[in-house]
């Protein structure tokens, strides 16, 4: 199972929107996909139509060893896409787990249980670089970074890259950056073009060719409990995420894929 953490410590960059729609696109292309919602806000769960009252087992229970991974998995309305939902209990997880041995490896150990059940696991991280995000990076082989096309996003990217190097050095030497996805792109704004050019000049081919535009339908879809790819598959945002999924598939370590 290929594990990809979707992370950026800056909020409002389209991280959860990226997680939901990439997971949907990967499932639509035939990959058995698991999405883990590791954000206490639980937006990825809500965006896939998982009602809070039905989240009897969650990623919190998996991290605290209250249940097995398989007991927390829930199906979604998207064929081949399963989710482990999040609840607000995650908000206190960092404090509760502070004295737990190997607390940075809890998610990775849990995922070892389901290594043959899915082809790809996407982990939607909270907008911080705390213990939850560290667990995701330790468990993952790759990191996907959604980056909003604005000036302050560049400062946050530098901090994130520093954290990745520390994770590699201390916990997970195999962690690599699969790609940076430029989000909320507005062609009418010259600053947007400048930021995109600066990121590409700095990171080169690490940046995906596909750019996710600002799009009203992407914002509307979660309120209906469905990915934009289902809510309006013809909108520019959905088309961009399908193209991004194709790029991502091209970067996957193909020999690890299930037959």
């Amino acid at each position: 199972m290929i594990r990809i953490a979707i992370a950026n410590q800056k909020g409002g960059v389209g991280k959860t929107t990226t997680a939901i729609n990439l997971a949907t696109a990967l499932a639509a292309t035939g990959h058995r996909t698991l999405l883990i919602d590791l954000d206490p806000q639980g937006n990825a769960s809500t965006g896939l139509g998982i009602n809070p009252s039905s989240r009897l087992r969650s990623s919190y229970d998996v991290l605290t060893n209250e249940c097995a991974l398989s007991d927390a998995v829930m199906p979604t309305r998207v064929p081949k896409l399963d989710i482990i939902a999040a609840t607000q209990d995650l908000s206190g997880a960092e404090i509760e787990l502070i004295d737990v041995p190997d607390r940075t490896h809890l998610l990775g150990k849990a995922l070892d249980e389901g290594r043959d059940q899915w082809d790809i696991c996407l982990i939607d991280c909270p907008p911080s670089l705390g213990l939850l995000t560290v667990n995701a990076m330790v468990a993952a082989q790759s990191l996907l970074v959604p980056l909003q096309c604005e000036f302050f996003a560049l400062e946050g990217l530098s901090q994130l890259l520093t954290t990745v190097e520390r994770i590699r050095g201390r916990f997970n030497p195999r962690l690599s950056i699969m790609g940076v996805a430029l989000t909320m792109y507005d062609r009418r704004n010259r600053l947007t073009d400048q930021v995109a050019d600066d990121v590409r000049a700095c990171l080169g081919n690490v940046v995906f060719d596909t750019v996710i535009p600002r799009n009203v339908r992407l914002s509307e879809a979660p309120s209906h409990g469905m990915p934009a790819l289902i809510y309006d598959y013809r909108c520019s945002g959905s088309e961009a995420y399908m193209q991004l999924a194709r790029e991502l598939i091209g970067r996957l370590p193909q020999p690890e894929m299930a037959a």
Side-chain angles (χ1 to χ4, degrees):
M1 177 170 63
I2 299 170
R3 307 172 185 177
I4 303 171
I6 301 177
N8 190 325
Q9 78 276 16
K10 189 177 184 300
V13 300
K15 175 178 57 60
T16 297
T17 299
T18 297
I20 291 172
N21 287 290
L22 273 183
T24 301
L26 289 168
T29 55
H31 296 81
R32 299 170 299 168
T33 306
L34 174 65
L35 175 60
I36 298 180
D37 190 348
L38 214 58
D39 188 341
Q41 298 177 84
N43 291 336
S45 307
T46 302
L48 282 170
I50 308 298
N51 194 294
S53 62
S54 66
R55 302 174 198 178
L56 303 180
R57 296 291 187 180
S58 68
S59 53
Y60 170 82
D61 298 300
V62 173
L63 286 175
T64 56
N65 205 28
E66 292 294 322
C67 76
L69 182 82
S70 56
D71 293 332
V73 174
M74 302 177 67
T76 70
R77 68 178 67 188
V78 181
K80 291 185 178 292
L81 175 58
D82 296 325
I83 187 172
I84 295 180
T87 61
Q88 291 185 352
D89 293 335
L90 276 174
S91 299
E94 299 203 12
I95 296 175
E96 294 177 38
L97 298 172
I98 195 166
D99 293 324
V100 175
D102 292 330
R103 61 185 180 275
T104 58
H105 292 72
L106 297 173
L107 182 60
K109 290 178 180 178
L111 282 173
D112 287 340
E113 173 195 335
R115 66 178 61 181
D116 298 323
Q117 193 170 348
W118 298 278
D119 299 318
I120 301 175
C121 172
L122 299 182
I123 308 169
D124 184 31
C125 300
S128 70
L129 294 177
L131 182 59
L132 295 176
T133 300
V134 169
N135 254 273
M137 290 187 183
V138 172
Q141 295 119 334
S142 303
L143 179 67
L144 191 154
V145 184
L147 186 71
Q148 185 178 1
C149 293
E150 65 170 31
F151 175 74
F152 289 120
L154 297 176
E155 294 183 351
L157 179 61
S158 175
Q159 184 180 356
L160 180 63
L161 294 178
T162 299
T163 300
V164 170
E165 288 304 317
R166 289 175 179 169
I167 296 293
R168 282 175 178 158
R170 294 187 60 185
F171 305 117
N172 184 7
R174 67 179 180 172
L175 180 65
S176 64
I177 298 178
M178 175 167 284
V180 173
L182 298 175
T183 62
M184 301 182 181
Y185 183 81
D186 187 349
R187 297 184 184 279
R188 300 168 298 178
N189 188 334
R190 288 187 178 181
L191 178 60
T192 295
D193 284 323
Q194 182 178 339
V195 170
D197 290 343
D198 288 347
V199 173
R200 294 188 189 281
C202 178
L203 298 177
N205 292 335
V206 172
V207 184
F208 287 105
D209 291 333
T210 304
V211 175
I212 309 300
R214 284 191 178 274
N215 181 245
V216 174
R217 306 299 269 178
L218 287 179
S219 302
E220 291 176 348
S223 66
H224 296 271
M226 62 180 71
L229 270 68
I230 294 177
Y231 179 65
D232 184 355
Y233 72 93
R234 292 183 177 177
C235 73
S236 60
S238 294
E239 291 177 350
Y241 273 117
M242 283 299 297
Q243 182 60 38
L244 180 62
R246 294 188 191 100
E247 275 199 77
L248 186 148
I249 291 170
R251 299 188 184 190
L252 292 178
Q254 299 297 332
E256 295 187 24
M257 294 296 299

